[in-house]
């Protein structure tokens, strides 16, 4: 019945702190694509969703800063512990469904330095200035030398605010996506002819094969085109924002896929029970 | 101001059924399934799995409108079964496949991590066939 007998195979090719490569094989293109789509849009993470600004005398407007804060990736490995606010018993937010982060930066005026053009008086406000109330949810930055810039301030300016980070998925807003890039390639030699290359003179000269081509046999020019052939090897690449490990993003995506399918199966069974006559059961 | 809430994409409102089955009045052994708050991710997977079944004569889906967050799946089968029954089989098969994909992935993860450990410990292992680079 199934052309992909024996079920899917997985082979991990590279595993780094915030990226991974693996080969998914013996499964349909739709499964590989579902995995990609779920990793991008349906794996929950934490992101700043509400900002209460008390003082802002910087050059950026309140909403500009609020937007920038929302885009900062927050460590989300412990996101399962936190509830969605819409499922929570509270009205606005509470410790069960949110994490508070505060920021207060005031650049003092030093009159001795004020008129010395050789001294850089710009204060860079970065993700390192955010103080979290929960150590498991904090801005992602392994590299303290390169934190995420929020706004630049000059002496005399002040920024004071409170952020509320919430759990969410990227279907609602892209800031909740755990990944910066997910891609997959199949059929590097284009044996299935799913790709049509734009060429000037010679396809082989103008379009080199990808690095994944070493895993597959090249085209035999004497072999006729197999119009029944289907793809069955997918070279997947995942790069995360740093909010969780790439392998966890993939595993969570697979769990979500299981829940989606399982949930529908339960609903289908309920339909049977409601109307057994119609289907002759 | 009057923008629809983004969560309408995936939150099933109270009183709305996730799945509705409508038998076709004109075609024998055919039905239309309406699945609320799901998109191409699930629909395309179901369609492809249904088409693997020799008892399925037709399987196709569409998302009627980008602002409506549901898809419809039309299925026609041979007379010895029903659309709901083949959909049940397709779901069972997919659940099994995803489950085994997850198990394989977890096993591969253990292998990849233990190999990275060996590299750290400087143990002479031939990694040419399974090269894993790690930087934890
Ligand atoms: Zn709450």
């Amino acid at each position: 019945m199934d052309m992909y007998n024996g079920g899917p195979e997985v082979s991990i090719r590279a595993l780094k702190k915030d990226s991974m490569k693996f080969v998914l094989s013996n499964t349909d293109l739709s499964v590989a694509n579902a995995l990609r789509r779920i990793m991008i849009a349906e794996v929950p993470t934490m992101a700043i969703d509400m900002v209460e600004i008390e003082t802002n005398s910087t050059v950026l407007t309140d909403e500009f800063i609020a937007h920038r804060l929302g885009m900062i990736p927050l460590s989300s490995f412990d996101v399962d512990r936190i509830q969605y606010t819409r499922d929570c018993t509270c009205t606005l937010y509470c410790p069960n469904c949110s994490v508070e982060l505060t920021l207060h930066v005031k650049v003092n005026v030093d009159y001795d330095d004020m008129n010395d053009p050789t001294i850089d008086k710009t204060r860079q406000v970065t993700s390192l200035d955010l103080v979290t109330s929960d150590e498991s949810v904090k801005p992602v930055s392994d590299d303290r030398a390169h934190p995420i810039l929020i706004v630049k301030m000059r002496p005399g300016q002040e920024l004071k605010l409170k952020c509320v980070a919430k759990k969410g998925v990227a279907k609602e807003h892209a800031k909740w996506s755990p990944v910066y890039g997910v891609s997959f390639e199949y059929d590097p030699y284009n044996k299935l002819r799913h790709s049509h290359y734009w060429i000037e003179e010679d396809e082989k000269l103008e379009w080199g094969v990808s690095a994944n081509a070493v895993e597959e046999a090249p085209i035999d020019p004497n072999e006729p085109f197999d119009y029944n052939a289907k793809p069955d090897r997918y070279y997947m690449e995942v790069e995360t924002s740093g909010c969780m490990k790439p392998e966890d993003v993939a595993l969570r995506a697979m769990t979500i896929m299981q829940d989606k399918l399982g949930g529908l199966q339960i609903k289908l069974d309920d339909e049977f029970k409601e109307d057994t006559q119609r289907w002759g059961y | 101001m009057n923008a629809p809430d983004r969560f309408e994409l995936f939150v099933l409102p109270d009183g709305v059924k996730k799945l509705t089955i409508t038998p076709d009045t004109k075609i024998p052994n055919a039905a239309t399934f309406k699945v609320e708050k799901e998109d191409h991710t699930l629909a395309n997977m179901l369609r492809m799995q249904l088409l693997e079944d020799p008892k399925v004569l037709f399987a196709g889906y569409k998302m009627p409108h980008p602002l409506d967050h549901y898809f419809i799946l039309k299925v026609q089968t041979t007379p010895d079964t029903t659309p709901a029954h083949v959909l049940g089989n397709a779901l069972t098969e997919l659940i099994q496949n995803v489950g085994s994909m997850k198990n394989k992935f977890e096993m591969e993860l253990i292998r990849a991590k233990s190999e990275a450990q060996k590299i750290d410990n400087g143990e002479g292992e031939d990694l040419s066939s399974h090269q894993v680079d790690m930087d934890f």
Side-chain angles (χ1 to χ4, degrees):
Chain A
M1 176 179 158
D2 205 319
M3 104 162 233
Y4 304 105
N5 275 319
E9 295 288 337
V10 178
S11 175
I12 296 174
R13 291 295 145 92
L15 187 58
K16 295 189 179 184
K17 204 169 115 293
D18 47 22
S19 71
M20 76 181 298
K21 287 182 188 175
F22 64 99
V23 184
L24 179 63
S25 53
N26 201 37
T27 192
D28 193 77
L29 180 58
S30 60
V31 176
N33 195 44
L35 182 64
R36 179 192 68 90
R37 285 174 62 95
I38 294 174
M39 286 196 281
I40 293 170
E42 296 185 57
V43 175
T45 65
M46 296 295 291
I48 291 169
D49 199 35
M50 290 201 292
V51 181
E52 287 169 25
I53 295 177
E54 201 178 304
T55 314
N56 175 19
S57 54
T58 70
V59 291
L60 298 187
T61 58
D62 292 3
E63 46 272 61
F64 201 134
I65 289 170
H67 179 246
R68 289 184 67 76
L69 288 165
M71 310 301 273
I72 295 171
L74 303 177
S75 54
S76 308
F77 52 86
D78 215 9
V79 73
D80 294 340
R81 185 177 51 84
I82 294 159
Q83 272 192 309
Y84 290 108
T85 299
R86 61 174 168 275
D87 299 332
C88 195
T89 46
C90 67
T91 48
L92 199 56
Y93 61 89
C94 73
N96 291 325
C97 64
S98 66
V99 170
E100 272 186 23
L101 296 100
T102 52
L103 184 146
H104 186 200
V105 177
K106 188 175 182 179
V107 187
N108 292 317
V109 183
D110 186 333
Y111 290 99
D112 294 338
D113 297 343
M114 211 45 192
N115 297 313
D116 184 349
T118 60
I119 298 169
D120 182 11
K121 291 167 283 280
T122 309
R123 165 70 153 90
Q124 306 214 0
V125 182
T126 70
S127 52
L128 295 176
D129 292 304
L130 281 165
V131 180
T132 181
S133 62
D134 181 339
E135 268 308 301
S136 75
V137 179
K138 61 180 180 201
V140 170
S141 62
D142 319 316
D143 186 1
R144 291 187 68 87
H146 300 283
I148 300 157
L149 182 65
I150 298 164
V151 61
K152 291 185 180 182
M153 281 162 67
R154 59 164 288 158
Q157 295 180 340
E158 186 182 4
L159 181 63
K160 190 177 185 186
L161 51 84
K162 187 177 88 179
C163 309
V164 181
K166 289 190 173 182
K167 180 181 177 175
V169 292
K171 266 192 168 185
E172 187 165 350
H173 191 289
K175 68 184 175 186
W176 276 295
S177 183
V179 292
Y180 281 172
V182 183
S183 64
F184 72 84
E185 186 193 17
Y186 63 94
D187 189 24
Y189 287 105
N190 197 26
K191 285 179 191 169
L192 304 167
R193 303 188 194 172
H194 286 189
S195 298
H196 291 272
Y197 296 111
W198 183 90
I199 56 163
E200 289 199 345
E201 269 145 20
D202 186 284
E203 187 182 305
K204 284 209 170 68
L205 279 174
E206 290 161 37
W207 295 92
V209 290
S210 82
N212 295 323
V214 296
E215 308 231 5
E216 293 191 13
I219 296 178
D220 175 1
N222 300 316
E223 205 180 310
F225 175 62
D226 180 3
Y227 49 83
N228 282 318
K230 287 167 101 185
D232 74 341
R233 273 176 83 75
Y234 313 93
Y235 305 95
M236 320 271 301
E237 280 187 55
V238 183
E239 186 195 338
T240 73
S241 66
C243 67
M244 56 175 82
K245 289 180 191 168
E247 63 265 37
D248 289 342
V249 176
L251 281 171
R252 278 163 205 242
M254 290 175 205
T255 310
I256 291 163
M257 213 192 276
Q258 282 177 315
D259 293 350
K260 246 184 211 302
L261 294 161
L264 196 63
Q265 198 175 41
I266 291 166
K267 295 290 179 227
L268 189 66
D269 290 344
D270 290 349
E271 287 294 306
F272 278 137
K273 277 170 207 144
E274 268 178 38
D275 196 350
T276 48
Q277 283 283 301
R278 198 200 306 163
W279 300 104
Y281 271 81
Chain B
M1 194 171 72
N2 58 354
D5 288 318
R6 297 286 292 164
F7 62 76
E8 284 178 18
L9 254 81
F10 50 89
V11 178
L12 192 69
D14 285 337
V16 175
K17 279 173 88 176
K18 183 84 180 171
L19 174 73
T20 331
I21 312 174
T22 318
D24 201 295
T25 51
K26 289 177 183 148
I27 308 163
N29 282 86
T32 303
F33 300 93
K34 182 185 181 193
V35 183
E36 280 284 356
K37 308 296 171 198
E38 291 292 347
D39 59 13
H40 302 278
T41 306
L42 185 62
N44 195 36
M45 230 181 356
L46 284 177
R47 177 184 69 117
M48 295 312 283
Q49 189 60 49
L50 282 164
L51 291 172
E52 295 285 328
D53 189 339
K55 288 185 177 180
V56 171
L57 302 177
F58 179 89
Y61 83 90
K62 71 173 173 184
M63 298 195 57
H65 190 94
L67 291 179
D68 291 337
H69 310 294
Y70 68 88
F71 69 82
I72 59 166
L73 177 70
K74 273 189 184 284
V75 183
Q76 192 193 1
T77 68
T78 52
D80 56 339
T81 186
T82 64
H85 192 72
V86 292
L87 181 65
N89 291 344
L91 281 166
T92 311
E93 188 85 8
L94 277 171
I95 290 166
Q96 233 168 51
N97 278 336
V98 177
S100 98
M101 175 165 78
K102 202 176 155 200
N103 286 338
K104 296 266 170 63
F105 190 90
E106 280 167 337
M107 275 154 59
E108 263 293 281
L109 212 56
I110 294 167
R111 184 197 62 77
K113 284 184 176 169
S114 77
E115 252 159 61
Q117 198 73 49
K118 280 177 196 160
I119 298 167
D120 286 348
N121 298 343
E123 287 171 37
E125 267 285 311
D126 181 30
L127 294 164
S128 52
S129 59
H130 288 288
Q131 213 201 323
V132 179
D133 52 82
M134 287 191 122
D135 62 345
F136 275 111

